[in-house]
Amino acid sequence: MEPLRPEDPTAIGGYPLLARIGAGGMGQVYLGLTGAGRHIALKVIREDFDGPQALARFRREVATVERVRSRFAAAMIGAGLEAPPYWLATEYVPGPTLRQTVAEHGPLPPATCMRLLAALAHGLLEIHRQGVQHRDLKPGNVILAPDGPRLIDFGIARGEGQTQITQTGAWNGTPGYVAPEVVREQQPLPASDVFSLAGTIAYAATGRPPFGGGRIEAIIHRTLGGEIDLDGADPRVAELVELCARKDPAERVTPERLLETLRDEAGDGLASDPEYRRRVTGLPPLPASVADAVTAGLVPPDRTTVGGPASGGLLGGRRGPLVAAAAAGVAVVVLGGAFAVRALTGGDGGTGGTGTGTVAATPSASGASGNPAGGGGTPGPGAGGASGDAGSPGAGAGAGAAGGPPPDELLLKQPTDDYQQMSFSENDHQCIPALRPEDSNLQRQMQVSAPRTPHSGDTVDLSVRYKWETPPDYYVAAEVRVPRGAQIGNAVSGAARSKPHLLTGSEWVELTYPTDFEWAGSGGAYPLIEGTWTIVWLHVHANGDAYYIGCDGFTVA
């Protein structure tokens, strides 16, 4: 972190600023604070980039961030796009970039490299399934958060249906990590991200740029015709990196295949790796308030007066509306980083920002609008009041939730035909038919987690949380449905429900099926069988009334 400078604003979009945390090709990234005391990263376009193409690129960036859901990226909080200065706010989680930790502590050991490869392959798989390519994966765009890595800086990412902004004769990416087909044809593919993954892991394993240093032209020449530098790397790591670094994109290994190959070698995951934990723990605490930032020398004492959300502090603006997205809810972090090949320098392309966060595994298809109304601030407790299906309260998610824990037995308040027929589609990664959630505003910050690759075993872990703030006394329950068409015994209904569980802050509620569904009032938990299972998440009021809030699913192989 760096102190604020005289030219920096006191607040952006009503969020007070605590420090500078990075700079990218188009703007500055600040550490900010919400009214609830949560840290966020705010990216602001530089005034001299206020041109039609720069603004179009930034709008596309915001749309991409809002579009993607992944546990390997941070969630969008808000954006201001009506008038300069244009800004984007995302969750912030402190942690070094991969580039920083390798530069400071040296290459990662082989086992850690394998786990990092598995985690990043999983992240690419999730964003590719949502129709988005990252297009600038490199060590500087991988944040090592305590609970796992995050992909950051989707500034040049492009989703399906989005217009490409790159001018003729230019290409997006970072030399040494950009794929050959991007340089030759200016046409990135999902497999292009896999090539960038190869360079990223090669750097993690050796501590050296994957295609050497020097002039950009020399790096590109080696990328097109040379071999990736794996000298001294562990043979197994080198083997997998080479599969990712094939010149022909059709010959590269897919993220799905990587995950299958690494299923045993990745073990319990990167967050439990001893070397990884050593590198990401013990970070200095962040200032919890403007006063703390003043004490730490990050904010000048004479610049502590910050206007509220209506005034926007020194910027004098209001919180701008969010850009509409193809999918409702959370999305990927966008901090710092390069925006075009012409902004390339040494290393892996700039320092970028250093903010990240934990987000959902997949979309929670509920039929909620992807265009949040109003400002880009954080929804407060009970925010919303979206109209629901028949029987939905429509009075905000916090309504009726006070007064202690609800009974174990639930009374479903939306027993419609659509609710009964709803099931998760493995092909579309959404639940069909779509339902309106109890509170659309609150649902936009909902995060769910379930296996994203075909699962095997006798149990499966499921989880849910609200990524930013949870209304008080908010209880949730899950209903797990067997695959459609499954032949089950008379002792079970095919839809087992958990008991209600309290959501606290942004903590996850974690359940295990069938263990947490084997109780007298569950409806009967059926053993895991082959097929696509559906998870329906419910908000349970104090009187036991349960309302639909989201849907997810998983496949058993």
Side-chain angles (χ1 to χ4, degrees), residues 312-450:
L314 293 183
L315 296 184
R318 64 182 185 277
R319 295 182 185 177
L322 300 180
V323 172
V330 300
V332 178
V333 67
V334 180
L335 300 175
F339 281 76
V341 69
R342 290 179 295 275
L344 299 170
T345 56
D348 60 29
T351 59
T354 53
T356 99
T358 310
V359 297
T362 64
S364 177
S366 60
S369 167
N371 184 15
T378 306
S387 60
D389 293 333
S392 178
D408 292 341
E409 298 278 357
L410 312 181
L411 176 61
L412 183 67
K413 301 299 289 185
Q414 295 169 294
T416 62
D417 288 341
D418 280 350
Y419 177 87
Q420 301 297 342
Q421 295 297 320
M422 182 176 56
S423 61
F424 183 75
S425 169
E426 176 65 17
N427 293 330
D428 300 326
H429 282 81
Q430 58 183 327
C431 291
I432 302 172
L435 293 182
R436 189 187 304 276
E438 179 188 41
D439 186 322
S440 294
N441 286 339
L442 192 59
Q443 194 270 348
R444 291 186 185 103
Q445 62 160 325
M446 182 181 179
Q447 300 176 303
V448 293
S449 178

Side-chain angles (χ1 to χ4, degrees), residues 128-335:
H128 289 171
R129 283 179 170 175
Q130 295 166 57
V132 173
Q133 301 167 39
H134 188 283
R135 303 206 299 170
D136 198 21
L137 175 57
K138 59 185 179 181
N141 281 344
V142 177
I143 293 285
L144 304 182
D147 59 347
R150 302 291 187 275
L151 297 172
I152 68 167
D153 196 354
F154 279 65
I156 63 173
R158 184 158 62 95
E160 293 175 357
Q162 290 181 319
T163 302
Q164 184 165 342
I165 299 175
T166 307
Q167 296 177 346
T168 301
W171 45 266
N172 288 309
T174 301
Y177 299 91
V178 67
E181 65 272 12
V182 177
V183 178
R184 288 195 178 106
E185 304 174 11
Q186 304 170 25
Q187 182 59 49
L189 305 166
S192 306
D193 282 343
V194 175
F195 186 91
S196 301
L197 175 61
T200 299
I201 299 301
Y203 175 84
T206 68
R208 300 186 300 272
F211 290 95
R215 295 176 57 85
I216 292 176
E217 294 82 355
I219 298 173
I220 294 300
H221 177 75
R222 290 190 291 268
T223 300
L224 294 175
E227 298 298 324
I228 192 167
D229 179 9
L230 292 166
D231 187 26
D234 176 81
R236 181 60 173 152
V237 174
E239 176 187 4
L240 293 176
V241 168
E242 288 171 347
L243 291 175
C244 298
R246 299 283 176 84
K247 304 300 183 186
D248 184 348
E251 295 181 359
R252 289 175 205 146
V253 65
T254 64
E256 293 94 333
R257 181 58 182 160
L258 272 177
L259 288 173
E260 293 175 5
T261 303
L262 290 164
R263 180 173 298 176
D264 295 330
E265 294 170 285
D268 295 330
L270 190 58
S272 62
D273 182 275
E275 177 63 18
Y276 182 85
R277 294 176 63 181
R278 184 183 73 82
R279 297 192 184 208
V280 302
T281 55
L283 299 173
L286 297 173
S289 64
V290 174
D292 285 350
V294 171
T295 301
L298 296 171
V299 174
D302 60 345
R303 304 183 70 229
T304 58
T305 301
V306 180
S311 68
L314 293 183
L315 296 184
R318 64 182 185 277
R319 295 182 185 177
L322 300 180
V323 172
V330 300
V332 178
V333 67
V334 180
L335 300 175

Side-chain angles (χ1 to χ4, degrees), residues 499-527:
K499 296 180 180 180
H501 293 264
L502 178 65
L503 275 179
T504 304
S506 60
E507 298 297 319
W508 292 88
V509 162
E510 298 178 346
L511 302 174
T512 299
Y513 183 90
T515 308
D516 292 320
F517 296 77
E518 294 174 332
W519 60 284
S522 72
Y526 197 74

